[in-house]
Amino acid sequence: KYFASRVIHNKEADRYEIRHVYCADEFSGIVDNNTYTNYSAVKTLSLASAILEKEGKPVPALWMDIQQKMYYPYYDEIGTYREHDSYEDQTIKQADTALLIYPYDMKMSRREKEAIVDFYRKKYPPNKIMMSSAIDGVIFCEMGDAEKAWFCFEDLLPHFRLPCLHASESADNEVISFATGLGGLLQLVLNGFCGIRIVEDGFHIRPALPDAIEELEVKGIHCRGIRFDIKITQKAVECSNVSSPPAFDIYVPDGTELKGFQKMETR
């Protein structure tokens, strides 16, 4: 209801816009049509519509119209999404448009994904914050470039301060302990190197281990009421200590062997 009330219908272009927002890139200030915010509205409306449909309730026509006609600024010369209407290649504080790829999984071509990361990584300040490297690392894993993801992981290490290893927002400020950055690091490990995704039809694992990691084990995963452990190597995924017969599938990509899960299917 909030997003449906927040959008503006641009009658001339027959599209919906969201103006005067503070986007994830805090350096930009208040802008119009931050692509990440606009897509956040569409994702929210899509989930809300699905809930109404599941409950047998009507979905407001406006919600459907917004999802179909939302405006996303685009860089035609670069071939990917623009951060917002007024973005002109300036320095950005952190990953913003990259969030369309992860965690939002916005439908776009591989070339568009590569263009987002290649273009916007060059716009970070020299001492970028943890979230930037963490999100980019997950995206590199998703695109199968684990070595670039490992570089992003190493980029996070200077943020930890002795003697207690508190993590700072950037390598040279004293904003500690920085929960967003720590969460980003965990996501790089779990959703990047392990490639874990919890989705509607099951549990997906698409590992992307760099050469520096021979084996990665995650214990105590909880999914849909079932607990299990996973061990990932360069060639296989092994599930163990499954608490009860699984009611969902684990999917892994072709070429990766899956061991030890009673209900499974490989793609």
Side-chain angles (χ1 to χ4, degrees):
K1 289 179 179 179
Y2 168 75
F3 275 126
S5 69
R6 187 67 170 76
V7 300
I8 294 173
H9 184 228
N10 183 327
K11 294 181 180 180
E12 182 177 347
D14 191 23
R15 69 190 187 196
Y16 290 93
E17 304 179 6
I18 303 180
R19 301 172 186 171
H20 307 297
V21 300
Y22 215 117
C23 52
D25 168 27
E26 296 164 5
F27 285 176
S28 287
I30 298 174
V31 299
D32 294 340
N33 292 310
N34 171 236
T35 304
Y36 169 69
T37 302
N38 287 15
Y39 192 66
S40 296
V42 167
K43 287 289 285 187
T44 301
L45 289 166
S46 174
L47 290 168
S49 298
I51 291 171
L52 289 178
E53 290 174 351
K54 185 175 181 179
E55 294 178 348
K57 298 177 181 179
V59 177
L62 176 61
W63 293 14
M64 303 303 295
D65 202 41
I66 293 171
Q67 293 176 63
Q68 295 167 6
K69 298 178 180 179
M70 180 60 80
Y71 165 60
Y72 307 115
Y74 201 84
Y75 262 127
D76 291 325
E77 62 271 32
I78 298 174
T80 198
Y81 292 93
R82 190 186 192 102
E83 188 177 283
H84 51 78
D85 274 348
S86 54
Y87 183 74
E88 295 292 346
D89 301 353
Q90 63 265 34
T91 299
I92 64 175
K93 181 177 181 181
Q94 61 200 49
D96 185 301
T97 313
L99 299 171
L100 299 169
I101 306 171
Y102 175 84
Y104 270 160
D105 195 25
M106 182 181 186
K107 290 184 179 179
M108 66 178 80
S109 68
R110 181 184 176 88
R111 184 183 60 79
E112 288 175 315
K113 293 179 180 180
E114 291 173 343
I116 282 177
V117 180
D118 291 344
F119 178 75
Y120 288 104
R121 272 188 73 77
K122 298 172 184 175
K123 306 303 178 184
Y124 299 145
N127 291 309
K128 52 188 171 293
I129 69 171
M130 290 185 76
M131 194 190 89
S132 301
S133 295
I135 295 298
D136 290 341
V138 175
I139 293 171
F140 282 133
C141 286
E142 184 175 309
M143 295 192 295
D145 199 335
E147 298 312 314
K148 286 185 179 178
W150 178 252
F151 176 80
C152 290
F153 179 80
E154 290 185 315
D155 201 33
L156 300 175
L157 301 183
H159 295 253
F160 289 88
R161 309 297 181 83
L162 293 173
C164 299
L165 294 180
H166 289 300
S168 61
E169 180 184 31
S170 73
D172 64 351
N173 73 18
E174 297 299 326
V175 182
I176 57 177
S177 285
F178 195 63
T180 304
L182 292 168
L185 184 149
L186 287 173
Q187 288 179 75
L188 176 50
V189 174
L190 296 174
N191 305 109
F193 298 142
C194 294
I196 292 173
R197 299 289 187 277
I198 297 176
V199 294
E200 288 290 333
D201 60 349
F203 188 92
H204 290 195
I205 302 178
R206 185 176 293 272
L209 292 187
D211 292 340
I213 301 178
E214 295 181 3
E215 180 179 297
L216 184 56
E217 188 169 3
V218 183
K219 296 185 176 182
I221 296 174
H222 289 256
C223 181
R224 294 179 170 88
I226 296 170
R227 181 194 181 283
F228 56 97
D229 303 334
I230 60 170
K231 182 170 69 174
I232 297 173
T233 65
Q234 294 286 349
K235 296 183 179 180
V237 175
E238 182 175 352
C239 298
S240 60
N241 298 321
V242 183
S243 62
S244 59
F248 56 89
D249 294 322
I250 285 186
Y251 299 112
V252 297
D254 293 337
T256 301
E257 185 180 2
L258 176 63
K259 303 177 180 179
F261 207 66
Q262 296 177 36
K263 188 177 192 298
M264 65 184 182
E265 180 179 332
T266 57
R267 286 180 176 175

